[in-house]
Amino acid sequence: MELVPGFLEQALRTAGFEDIKTFECKSDTEMVWHFSKIYEGYITLLVSPLPRHFLEKITMKDQVAGAGFRPAEIAKLAIVLWSADLFARKQRLLHQPKHVLLPMLPVTGFVAMLVVLQRDLGTALVLFAIILGLLFVAGLPGRLFLVSLLGVGAVILVFVRSSAERLQRITSFTDPFADAQSSGYQAAHGLMGLATGQWLGVGLGGSRQKWGSLPGAHTDFVFAVIGEELGLVGALSVLLLFGLLAYVGFRIARRARDPFCRFAAAGITASSG
């Protein structure tokens, strides 16, 4: 239990707070800005060991206070807060593409590639979405944004094609029932669950697929369980709520007067999608 306070103290000192007792905030914006510095300190501590050691730890689940924990989850928020602080300080220079891309893209791209090297496609996709969302909000010209988008697509394509198993799982979505006992197992049972739910579902807690038939029922395929229990109406309602969350998040970002809050709100909204 002593590791957590010690870690926080070290992170604060790395962020520039010599006397932790004087850690005070005069406003919410200042508080969030301080936390961005803490996360920068966290990333500094995280990448300080040898790269190989970092690669082994970046997506590994650790136990913190009895709960599962992935350092990559903190990396998502760290990228958002660090990038928001960077763009806020360079606000008057963002009309120049080089100030939008540097040093934001190399730093965030490095963190994303570490996750890619760990073969964690889901987390890598979220990180790429955050990076692209922040570049868009920062005003990157359309041509350069398209180049960045194509670059991310190329990285994902190479990542998928580098493993026959991963490629098979991706392509099985076109016809999961062609190999329902192997590569298409999860997709096939997910579709079964959605079909069972019909219009109004079988009722909360009534899903049958989640009891052993559908791996990842509480994570990757939770939407199939929602569709089975709440039906088409419930599934569409969940999608509508996510759309509403994105709309509200970007509306807050657009109306924010403080640059840091604007970029942070946009980045957090992109990460939640």
Side-chain angles (χ1 to χ4, degrees):
M1 294 301 293
E2 295 179 356
L3 293 177
V4 175
F7 160 75
L8 291 176
E9 180 179 350
Q10 184 61 36
L12 285 168
R13 294 189 185 280
T14 304
F17 299 103
E18 295 297 334
D19 187 359
I20 299 176
K21 294 182 180 179
T22 62
F23 182 68
E24 298 178 355
C25 299
K26 298 179 181 179
S27 65
D28 292 340
T29 301
E30 185 179 355
M31 179 184 67
V32 178
W33 184 86
H34 281 319
F35 271 104
S36 74
K37 292 302 180 182
I38 294 174
Y39 276 102
E40 289 178 28
Y42 172 83
I43 289 297
T44 302
L45 293 175
L46 201 60
V47 301
S48 57
L50 294 175
R52 181 177 180 181
H53 175 70
F54 178 46
L55 287 173
E56 293 173 352
K57 293 294 184 181
I58 184 64
T59 58
M60 184 180 296
K61 280 188 177 180
D62 296 320
Q63 291 294 319
V64 177
F69 169 76
R70 285 180 181 269
E73 296 301 320
I74 286 189
K76 296 176 185 177
L77 186 57
I79 285 179
V80 171
L81 295 180
W82 178 80
S83 299
D85 175 57
L86 176 68
F87 288 149
R89 288 186 284 109
K90 301 176 67 173
Q91 175 72 18
R92 297 181 180 180
L93 300 173
L94 292 182
H95 63 282
Q96 303 178 33
K98 67 178 182 179
H99 287 287
V100 178
L101 294 172
L102 300 174
M104 186 268 191
L105 194 58
V107 174
T108 57
F110 172 72
V111 176
M113 288 307 298
L114 289 174
V115 177
V116 169
L117 292 175
Q118 280 294 296
R119 304 181 182 277
D120 187 351
L121 180 60
T123 303
L125 289 176
V126 174
L127 291 176
F128 285 133
I130 293 172
I131 294 170
L132 291 174
L134 287 168
L135 290 176
F136 178 79
V137 174
L140 186 67
R143 182 178 299 178
L144 290 177
F145 182 80
L146 180 60
V147 171
S148 301
L149 184 62
L150 292 176
V152 169
V155 171
I156 295 174
L157 181 61
V158 171
F159 179 58
V160 171
R161 293 180 64 87
S162 63
S163 170
E165 179 184 1
R166 191 179 299 112
L167 180 62
Q168 190 177 25
R169 289 186 61 185
I170 295 295
T171 56
S172 68
F173 275 97
T174 58
D175 188 10
F177 292 98
D179 192 9
Q181 297 302 318
S182 182
S183 60
Y185 184 86
Q186 284 180 289
H189 282 270
L191 290 174
M192 290 179 190
L194 290 172
T196 303
Q198 299 186 6
W199 287 98
L200 299 177
V202 297
L204 284 174
S207 171
R208 296 174 182 173
Q209 292 296 330
K210 69 181 180 182
W211 298 111
S213 299
L214 183 62
H218 64 294
T219 54
D220 294 345
F221 280 81
V222 67
F223 185 74
V225 177
I226 293 174
E228 184 180 5
E229 295 187 351
L230 301 180
L232 178 63
V233 174
L236 291 178
S237 297
V238 170
L239 292 178
L240 180 63
L241 289 174
F242 269 104
L244 181 62
L245 176 64
Y247 169 75
V248 172
F250 284 114
R251 185 182 181 186
I252 291 173
R254 187 183 62 179
R255 293 189 174 188
R257 296 181 179 180
D258 183 82
F260 176 82
C261 293
R262 180 169 66 252
F263 293 122
I268 291 173
T269 302
S271 67
S272 65

mmCIF file of all heavy atoms in Angstrom, residues 229-267:
data_model
loop_
_atom_site.group_PDB
_atom_site.id
_atom_site.type_symbol
_atom_site.label_atom_id
_atom_site.label_comp_id
_atom_site.label_asym_id
_atom_site.label_seq_id
_atom_site.Cartn_x
_atom_site.Cartn_y
_atom_site.Cartn_z
ATOM 1 N N GLU A 229 -30.945 -8.940 -24.580
ATOM 2 C CA GLU A 229 -31.781 -8.677 -23.400
ATOM 3 C C GLU A 229 -32.767 -7.526 -23.614
ATOM 4 O O GLU A 229 -33.871 -7.544 -23.056
ATOM 5 C CB GLU A 229 -30.886 -8.375 -22.197
ATOM 6 C CG GLU A 229 -30.034 -9.556 -21.773
ATOM 7 C CD GLU A 229 -29.285 -9.307 -20.475
ATOM 8 O OE1 GLU A 229 -29.304 -8.158 -19.998
ATOM 9 O OE2 GLU A 229 -28.680 -10.257 -19.949
ATOM 10 N N LEU A 230 -32.381 -6.519 -24.402
ATOM 11 C CA LEU A 230 -33.234 -5.346 -24.596
ATOM 12 C C LEU A 230 -33.807 -5.243 -26.007
ATOM 13 O O LEU A 230 -34.584 -4.321 -26.279
ATOM 14 C CB LEU A 230 -32.452 -4.067 -24.257
ATOM 15 C CG LEU A 230 -31.891 -3.979 -22.842
ATOM 16 C CD1 LEU A 230 -31.146 -2.670 -22.656
ATOM 17 C CD2 LEU A 230 -33.004 -4.109 -21.812
ATOM 18 N N GLY A 231 -33.398 -6.129 -26.892
ATOM 19 C CA GLY A 231 -33.946 -6.144 -28.233
ATOM 20 C C GLY A 231 -33.412 -5.028 -29.116
ATOM 21 O O GLY A 231 -32.512 -4.273 -28.741
ATOM 22 N N LEU A 232 -33.996 -4.926 -30.311
ATOM 23 C CA LEU A 232 -33.573 -3.905 -31.269
ATOM 24 C C LEU A 232 -33.801 -2.503 -30.714
ATOM 25 O O LEU A 232 -32.966 -1.612 -30.906
ATOM 26 C CB LEU A 232 -34.337 -4.075 -32.589
ATOM 27 C CG LEU A 232 -34.032 -3.054 -33.684
ATOM 28 C CD1 LEU A 232 -32.573 -3.154 -34.119
ATOM 29 C CD2 LEU A 232 -34.959 -3.260 -34.881
ATOM 30 N N VAL A 233 -34.904 -2.316 -30.011
ATOM 31 C CA VAL A 233 -35.211 -0.999 -29.444
ATOM 32 C C VAL A 233 -34.146 -0.597 -28.430
ATOM 33 O O VAL A 233 -33.639 0.532 -28.444
ATOM 34 C CB VAL A 233 -36.606 -1.010 -28.782
ATOM 35 C CG1 VAL A 233 -36.868 0.319 -28.064
ATOM 36 C CG2 VAL A 233 -37.692 -1.265 -29.817
ATOM 37 N N GLY A 234 -33.777 -1.493 -27.540
ATOM 38 C CA GLY A 234 -32.758 -1.189 -26.536
ATOM 39 C C GLY A 234 -31.392 -0.974 -27.149
ATOM 40 O O GLY A 234 -30.650 -0.074 -26.740
ATOM 41 N N ALA A 235 -31.040 -1.794 -28.160
ATOM 42 C CA ALA A 235 -29.738 -1.664 -28.801
ATOM 43 C C ALA A 235 -29.619 -0.322 -29.519
ATOM 44 O O ALA A 235 -28.595 0.367 -29.421
ATOM 45 C CB ALA A 235 -29.529 -2.812 -29.786
ATOM 46 N N LEU A 236 -30.663 0.073 -30.233
ATOM 47 C CA LEU A 236 -30.648 1.368 -30.913
ATOM 48 C C LEU A 236 -30.619 2.519 -29.917
ATOM 49 O O LEU A 236 -30.009 3.561 -30.172
ATOM 50 C CB LEU A 236 -31.862 1.494 -31.836
ATOM 51 C CG LEU A 236 -31.868 0.574 -33.066
ATOM 52 C CD1 LEU A 236 -33.146 0.775 -33.869
ATOM 53 C CD2 LEU A 236 -30.644 0.822 -33.934
ATOM 54 N N SER A 237 -31.280 2.329 -28.772
ATOM 55 C CA SER A 237 -31.266 3.365 -27.734
ATOM 56 C C SER A 237 -29.858 3.577 -27.191
ATOM 57 O O SER A 237 -29.434 4.710 -26.947
ATOM 58 C CB SER A 237 -32.209 2.975 -26.588
ATOM 59 O OG SER A 237 -33.546 2.882 -27.033
ATOM 60 N N VAL A 238 -29.105 2.479 -27.013
ATOM 61 C CA VAL A 238 -27.725 2.586 -26.543
ATOM 62 C C VAL A 238 -26.868 3.337 -27.569
ATOM 63 O O VAL A 238 -26.073 4.220 -27.218
ATOM 64 C CB VAL A 238 -27.137 1.191 -26.262
ATOM 65 C CG1 VAL A 238 -25.636 1.270 -26.002
ATOM 66 C CG2 VAL A 238 -27.837 0.558 -25.067
ATOM 67 N N LEU A 239 -27.045 3.007 -28.848
ATOM 68 C CA LEU A 239 -26.296 3.707 -29.901
ATOM 69 C C LEU A 239 -26.661 5.187 -29.927
ATOM 70 O O LEU A 239 -25.793 6.054 -30.123
ATOM 71 C CB LEU A 239 -26.585 3.071 -31.262
ATOM 72 C CG LEU A 239 -26.051 1.652 -31.478
ATOM 73 C CD1 LEU A 239 -26.449 1.142 -32.856
ATOM 74 C CD2 LEU A 239 -24.540 1.603 -31.312
ATOM 75 N N LEU A 240 -27.936 5.485 -29.723
ATOM 76 C CA LEU A 240 -28.383 6.874 -29.694
ATOM 77 C C LEU A 240 -27.764 7.627 -28.528
ATOM 78 O O LEU A 240 -27.353 8.790 -28.674
ATOM 79 C CB LEU A 240 -29.913 6.926 -29.598
ATOM 80 C CG LEU A 240 -30.543 8.329 -29.558
ATOM 81 C CD1 LEU A 240 -30.243 9.082 -30.854
ATOM 82 C CD2 LEU A 240 -32.053 8.233 -29.345
ATOM 83 N N LEU A 241 -27.663 6.978 -27.380
ATOM 84 C CA LEU A 241 -27.061 7.613 -26.213
ATOM 85 C C LEU A 241 -25.573 7.880 -26.435
ATOM 86 O O LEU A 241 -25.053 8.918 -26.010
ATOM 87 C CB LEU A 241 -27.270 6.731 -24.977
ATOM 88 C CG LEU A 241 -28.701 6.664 -24.438
ATOM 89 C CD1 LEU A 241 -28.800 5.642 -23.308
ATOM 90 C CD2 LEU A 241 -29.157 8.035 -23.943
ATOM 91 N N PHE A 242 -24.888 6.957 -27.098
ATOM 92 C CA PHE A 242 -23.475 7.197 -27.411
ATOM 93 C C PHE A 242 -23.330 8.367 -28.386
ATOM 94 O O PHE A 242 -22.416 9.189 -28.261
ATOM 95 C CB PHE A 242 -22.837 5.935 -28.011
ATOM 96 C CG PHE A 242 -22.213 5.035 -26.981
ATOM 97 C CD1 PHE A 242 -22.843 3.866 -26.577
ATOM 98 C CD2 PHE A 242 -20.993 5.357 -26.409
ATOM 99 C CE1 PHE A 242 -22.281 3.043 -25.622
ATOM 100 C CE2 PHE A 242 -20.414 4.532 -25.456
ATOM 101 C CZ PHE A 242 -21.051 3.375 -25.061
ATOM 102 N N GLY A 243 -24.232 8.436 -29.358
ATOM 103 C CA GLY A 243 -24.213 9.562 -30.279
ATOM 104 C C GLY A 243 -24.474 10.871 -29.566
ATOM 105 O O GLY A 243 -23.833 11.896 -29.847
ATOM 106 N N LEU A 244 -25.404 10.841 -28.605
ATOM 107 C CA LEU A 244 -25.708 12.035 -27.820
ATOM 108 C C LEU A 244 -24.519 12.439 -26.961
ATOM 109 O O LEU A 244 -24.224 13.639 -26.822
ATOM 110 C CB LEU A 244 -26.933 11.768 -26.932
ATOM 111 C CG LEU A 244 -27.421 12.931 -26.055
ATOM 112 C CD1 LEU A 244 -27.850 14.104 -26.935
ATOM 113 C CD2 LEU A 244 -28.566 12.480 -25.157
ATOM 114 N N LEU A 245 -23.831 11.447 -26.403
ATOM 115 C CA LEU A 245 -22.637 11.733 -25.601
ATOM 116 C C LEU A 245 -21.579 12.425 -26.450
ATOM 117 O O LEU A 245 -20.960 13.407 -26.013
ATOM 118 C CB LEU A 245 -22.084 10.434 -25.023
ATOM 119 C CG LEU A 245 -20.768 10.538 -24.235
ATOM 120 C CD1 LEU A 245 -20.965 11.381 -22.983
ATOM 121 C CD2 LEU A 245 -20.255 9.148 -23.860
ATOM 122 N N ALA A 246 -21.372 11.926 -27.675
ATOM 123 C CA ALA A 246 -20.390 12.541 -28.570
ATOM 124 C C ALA A 246 -20.806 13.968 -28.930
ATOM 125 O O ALA A 246 -19.972 14.882 -28.948
ATOM 126 C CB ALA A 246 -20.232 11.699 -29.825
ATOM 127 N N TYR A 247 -22.088 14.159 -29.207
ATOM 128 C CA TYR A 247 -22.581 15.492 -29.570
ATOM 129 C C TYR A 247 -22.376 16.484 -28.431
ATOM 130 O O TYR A 247 -21.873 17.595 -28.632
ATOM 131 C CB TYR A 247 -24.062 15.411 -29.936
ATOM 132 C CG TYR A 247 -24.730 16.760 -30.073
ATOM 133 C CD1 TYR A 247 -24.507 17.559 -31.193
ATOM 134 C CD2 TYR A 247 -25.569 17.245 -29.065
ATOM 135 C CE1 TYR A 247 -25.103 18.806 -31.319
ATOM 136 C CE2 TYR A 247 -26.167 18.487 -29.184
ATOM 137 C CZ TYR A 247 -25.938 19.261 -30.311
ATOM 138 O OH TYR A 247 -26.522 20.497 -30.420
ATOM 139 N N VAL A 248 -22.755 16.074 -27.226
ATOM 140 C CA VAL A 248 -22.608 16.955 -26.066
ATOM 141 C C VAL A 248 -21.138 17.246 -25.785
ATOM 142 O O VAL A 248 -20.760 18.385 -25.475
ATOM 143 C CB VAL A 248 -23.296 16.335 -24.827
ATOM 144 C CG1 VAL A 248 -22.979 17.145 -23.575
ATOM 145 C CG2 VAL A 248 -24.790 16.251 -25.034
ATOM 146 N N GLY A 249 -20.291 16.208 -25.905
ATOM 147 C CA GLY A 249 -18.869 16.405 -25.648
ATOM 148 C C GLY A 249 -18.244 17.414 -26.593
ATOM 149 O O GLY A 249 -17.523 18.324 -26.160
ATOM 150 N N PHE A 250 -18.531 17.273 -27.887
ATOM 151 C CA PHE A 250 -17.962 18.213 -28.859
ATOM 152 C C PHE A 250 -18.628 19.586 -28.767
ATOM 153 O O PHE A 250 -17.998 20.595 -29.092
ATOM 154 C CB PHE A 250 -18.083 17.652 -30.277
ATOM 155 C CG PHE A 250 -17.089 16.576 -30.577
ATOM 156 C CD1 PHE A 250 -17.496 15.275 -30.815
ATOM 157 C CD2 PHE A 250 -15.730 16.864 -30.605
ATOM 158 C CE1 PHE A 250 -16.572 14.276 -31.084
ATOM 159 C CE2 PHE A 250 -14.794 15.872 -30.878
ATOM 160 C CZ PHE A 250 -15.215 14.577 -31.112
ATOM 161 N N ARG A 251 -19.868 19.622 -28.320
ATOM 162 C CA ARG A 251 -20.519 20.920 -28.110
ATOM 163 C C ARG A 251 -19.854 21.668 -26.957
ATOM 164 O O ARG A 251 -19.638 22.884 -27.030
ATOM 165 C CB ARG A 251 -22.009 20.705 -27.818
ATOM 166 C CG ARG A 251 -22.801 22.004 -27.704
ATOM 167 C CD ARG A 251 -24.246 21.722 -27.372
ATOM 168 N NE ARG A 251 -25.010 22.961 -27.297
ATOM 169 C CZ ARG A 251 -26.281 23.030 -26.909
ATOM 170 N NH1 ARG A 251 -26.919 21.910 -26.587
ATOM 171 N NH2 ARG A 251 -26.891 24.178 -26.863
ATOM 172 N N ILE A 252 -19.531 20.931 -25.897
ATOM 173 C CA ILE A 252 -18.811 21.536 -24.774
ATOM 174 C C ILE A 252 -17.448 22.043 -25.236
ATOM 175 O O ILE A 252 -17.028 23.151 -24.879
ATOM 176 C CB ILE A 252 -18.651 20.515 -23.633
ATOM 177 C CG1 ILE A 252 -20.011 20.218 -22.997
ATOM 178 C CG2 ILE A 252 -17.675 21.026 -22.571
ATOM 179 C CD1 ILE A 252 -19.972 19.095 -21.982
ATOM 180 N N ALA A 253 -16.775 21.228 -26.050
ATOM 181 C CA ALA A 253 -15.458 21.628 -26.557
ATOM 182 C C ALA A 253 -15.557 22.890 -27.408
ATOM 183 O O ALA A 253 -14.717 23.790 -27.319
ATOM 184 C CB ALA A 253 -14.849 20.488 -27.367
ATOM 185 N N ARG A 254 -16.591 22.978 -28.233
ATOM 186 C CA ARG A 254 -16.744 24.132 -29.116
ATOM 187 C C ARG A 254 -17.055 25.405 -28.339
ATOM 188 O O ARG A 254 -16.605 26.491 -28.706
ATOM 189 C CB ARG A 254 -17.867 23.857 -30.123
ATOM 190 C CG ARG A 254 -18.000 24.928 -31.202
ATOM 191 C CD ARG A 254 -19.160 24.633 -32.110
ATOM 192 N NE ARG A 254 -20.425 24.641 -31.371
ATOM 193 C CZ ARG A 254 -21.606 24.422 -31.938
ATOM 194 N NH1 ARG A 254 -21.684 24.130 -33.221
ATOM 195 N NH2 ARG A 254 -22.707 24.458 -31.212
ATOM 196 N N ARG A 255 -17.789 25.272 -27.245
ATOM 197 C CA ARG A 255 -18.208 26.449 -26.478
ATOM 198 C C ARG A 255 -17.204 26.850 -25.400
ATOM 199 O O ARG A 255 -17.340 27.927 -24.809
ATOM 200 C CB ARG A 255 -19.565 26.184 -25.823
ATOM 201 C CG ARG A 255 -20.703 26.045 -26.821
ATOM 202 C CD ARG A 255 -22.042 25.999 -26.121
ATOM 203 N NE ARG A 255 -23.153 26.010 -27.055
ATOM 204 C CZ ARG A 255 -24.416 26.127 -26.685
ATOM 205 N NH1 ARG A 255 -24.738 26.243 -25.403
ATOM 206 N NH2 ARG A 255 -25.379 26.122 -27.598
ATOM 207 N N ALA A 256 -16.244 25.988 -25.130
ATOM 208 C CA ALA A 256 -15.268 26.308 -24.075
ATOM 209 C C ALA A 256 -14.431 27.519 -24.485
ATOM 210 O O ALA A 256 -13.925 27.588 -25.601
ATOM 211 C CB ALA A 256 -14.375 25.101 -23.804
ATOM 212 N N ARG A 257 -14.276 28.448 -23.560
ATOM 213 C CA ARG A 257 -13.482 29.635 -23.831
ATOM 214 C C ARG A 257 -11.993 29.389 -23.609
ATOM 215 O O ARG A 257 -11.157 29.974 -24.288
ATOM 216 C CB ARG A 257 -13.964 30.796 -22.934
ATOM 217 C CG ARG A 257 -15.395 31.226 -23.219
ATOM 218 C CD ARG A 257 -15.786 32.396 -22.318
ATOM 219 N NE ARG A 257 -17.154 32.837 -22.601
ATOM 220 C CZ ARG A 257 -17.747 33.844 -21.957
ATOM 221 N NH1 ARG A 257 -17.083 34.509 -21.012
ATOM 222 N NH2 ARG A 257 -18.979 34.169 -22.262
ATOM 223 N N ASP A 258 -11.684 28.537 -22.652
ATOM 224 C CA ASP A 258 -10.292 28.247 -22.353
ATOM 225 C C ASP A 258 -9.759 27.225 -23.362
ATOM 226 O O ASP A 258 -10.369 26.171 -23.554
ATOM 227 C CB ASP A 258 -10.160 27.688 -20.932
ATOM 228 C CG ASP A 258 -8.712 27.440 -20.551
ATOM 229 O OD1 ASP A 258 -8.040 28.394 -20.149
ATOM 230 O OD2 ASP A 258 -8.264 26.278 -20.677
ATOM 231 N N PRO A 259 -8.641 27.499 -24.037
ATOM 232 C CA PRO A 259 -8.120 26.559 -25.049
ATOM 233 C C PRO A 259 -7.835 25.173 -24.495
ATOM 234 O O PRO A 259 -8.126 24.168 -25.152
ATOM 235 C CB PRO A 259 -6.835 27.251 -25.531
ATOM 236 C CG PRO A 259 -7.022 28.693 -25.222
ATOM 237 C CD PRO A 259 -7.833 28.733 -23.961
ATOM 238 N N PHE A 260 -7.252 25.122 -23.295
ATOM 239 C CA PHE A 260 -6.932 23.816 -22.717
ATOM 240 C C PHE A 260 -8.196 22.989 -22.519
ATOM 241 O O PHE A 260 -8.242 21.806 -22.852
ATOM 242 C CB PHE A 260 -6.204 23.994 -21.381
ATOM 243 C CG PHE A 260 -5.927 22.696 -20.678
ATOM 244 C CD1 PHE A 260 -4.826 21.928 -21.021
ATOM 245 C CD2 PHE A 260 -6.771 22.225 -19.682
ATOM 246 C CE1 PHE A 260 -4.571 20.724 -20.389
ATOM 247 C CE2 PHE A 260 -6.524 21.026 -19.051
ATOM 248 C CZ PHE A 260 -5.416 20.269 -19.398
ATOM 249 N N CYS A 261 -9.244 23.612 -21.981
ATOM 250 C CA CYS A 261 -10.509 22.898 -21.762
ATOM 251 C C CYS A 261 -11.117 22.449 -23.084
ATOM 252 O O CYS A 261 -11.698 21.362 -23.170
ATOM 253 C CB CYS A 261 -11.496 23.792 -21.006
ATOM 254 S SG CYS A 261 -11.016 24.153 -19.311
ATOM 255 N N ARG A 262 -10.982 23.264 -24.111
ATOM 256 C CA ARG A 262 -11.547 22.917 -25.419
ATOM 257 C C ARG A 262 -10.872 21.675 -25.985
ATOM 258 O O ARG A 262 -11.541 20.728 -26.409
ATOM 259 C CB ARG A 262 -11.389 24.095 -26.380
ATOM 260 C CG ARG A 262 -11.962 23.814 -27.762
ATOM 261 C CD ARG A 262 -12.047 25.071 -28.611
ATOM 262 N NE ARG A 262 -10.749 25.616 -28.940
ATOM 263 C CZ ARG A 262 -10.238 26.711 -28.439
ATOM 264 N NH1 ARG A 262 -10.905 27.391 -27.523
ATOM 265 N NH2 ARG A 262 -9.037 27.160 -28.811
ATOM 266 N N PHE A 263 -9.553 21.659 -25.968
ATOM 267 C CA PHE A 263 -8.842 20.498 -26.512
ATOM 268 C C PHE A 263 -9.016 19.267 -25.633
ATOM 269 O O PHE A 263 -9.156 18.153 -26.147
ATOM 270 C CB PHE A 263 -7.355 20.831 -26.660
ATOM 271 C CG PHE A 263 -7.066 21.879 -27.704
ATOM 272 C CD1 PHE A 263 -6.418 23.046 -27.370
ATOM 273 C CD2 PHE A 263 -7.451 21.689 -29.019
ATOM 274 C CE1 PHE A 263 -6.142 24.016 -28.317
ATOM 275 C CE2 PHE A 263 -7.185 22.644 -29.980
ATOM 276 C CZ PHE A 263 -6.528 23.814 -29.630
ATOM 277 N N ALA A 264 -9.032 19.455 -24.323
ATOM 278 C CA ALA A 264 -9.210 18.312 -23.417
ATOM 279 C C ALA A 264 -10.587 17.701 -23.580
ATOM 280 O O ALA A 264 -10.732 16.464 -23.615
ATOM 281 C CB ALA A 264 -8.991 18.758 -21.966
ATOM 282 N N ALA A 265 -11.637 18.535 -23.702
ATOM 283 C CA ALA A 265 -12.985 18.019 -23.875
ATOM 284 C C ALA A 265 -13.116 17.250 -25.180
ATOM 285 O O ALA A 265 -13.743 16.176 -25.240
ATOM 286 C CB ALA A 265 -13.993 19.170 -23.849
ATOM 287 N N ALA A 266 -12.514 17.772 -26.241
ATOM 288 C CA ALA A 266 -12.564 17.074 -27.530
ATOM 289 C C ALA A 266 -11.821 15.742 -27.470
ATOM 290 O O ALA A 266 -12.297 14.732 -27.993
ATOM 291 C CB ALA A 266 -11.961 17.970 -28.616
ATOM 292 N N GLY A 267 -10.658 15.728 -26.836
ATOM 293 C CA GLY A 267 -9.885 14.493 -26.736
ATOM 294 C C GLY A 267 -10.570 13.433 -25.895
ATOM 295 O O GLY A 267 -10.590 12.254 -26.256
#
